[in-house]
Amino acid sequence: MIGALTVALMLLLLLGPTLKTYVDQRGEIAALQEHVAKQRADVAAMEKEKALWSDPAYVEQQARQRLKFVKVGEKAYSLIDADAVPTSKAADPVLDAATASTHPWYGQLWESVKTSDNPQRSAG
């Protein structure tokens, strides 16, 4: 009885690390297979996009849309938002703190670091 138990324990000790390595490798293989499947999907999407770019009508559409190209004789219009309020130049608290200071340059540098760390403090 003790001999059989000893043999079983020895087999467990000898096969345990091998079994762990096998399980780890199976997990790694599964992860790599997922990665390969994702890369294949990416390649398929890129090939589809490449096929689109080989179509002259698609290239023309993209040139018109992205680059605002027009054909000879056509007129291009750009609409500007009429409701937009022109933005005034906002005061920069970091620049104001650095230039308004009477400290030497290294003091101004330190003031700008403190201001940029907490801009609400200098604005209020």
Side-chain angles (χ1 to χ4, degrees):
M1 181 73 151
I2 293 177
L5 193 58
T6 304
V7 170
L9 184 60
M10 286 297 277
L11 282 175
L12 184 64
L13 288 174
L14 290 175
L15 294 178
T18 304
L19 185 61
K20 182 187 179 313
T21 303
Y22 174 77
V23 170
D24 289 345
Q25 286 178 348
R26 295 308 300 173
E28 188 175 331
I29 288 171
L32 289 173
Q33 286 174 339
E34 280 184 29
H35 185 68
V36 167
K38 183 182 176 295
Q39 285 182 334
R40 284 190 176 148
D42 290 345
V43 167
M46 288 179 193
E47 286 176 348
K48 184 179 177 183
E49 186 174 346
K50 180 182 173 187
L52 281 174
W53 282 102
S54 65
D55 180 19
Y58 181 77
V59 172
E60 180 182 340
Q61 174 198 7
Q62 292 300 313
R64 287 173 170 272
Q65 186 178 25
R66 294 181 182 190
L67 304 175
K68 310 284 189 221
F69 281 10
V70 293
K71 290 184 178 181
V72 176
E74 291 181 342
K75 292 184 181 179
Y77 295 98
S78 295
L79 298 179
I80 299 174
D81 189 10
D83 297 334
V85 177
T87 59
S88 63
K89 183 179 177 186
D92 186 2
V94 175
L95 185 60
D96 291 344
T99 56
S101 178
T102 57
H103 299 297
W105 69 268
Y106 49 85
Q108 291 178 6
L109 177 65
W110 181 245
E111 288 295 322
S112 70
V113 169
K114 289 191 319 188
T115 304
S116 64
D117 186 37
N118 190 1
Q120 288 79 21
R121 183 184 66 192
S122 67

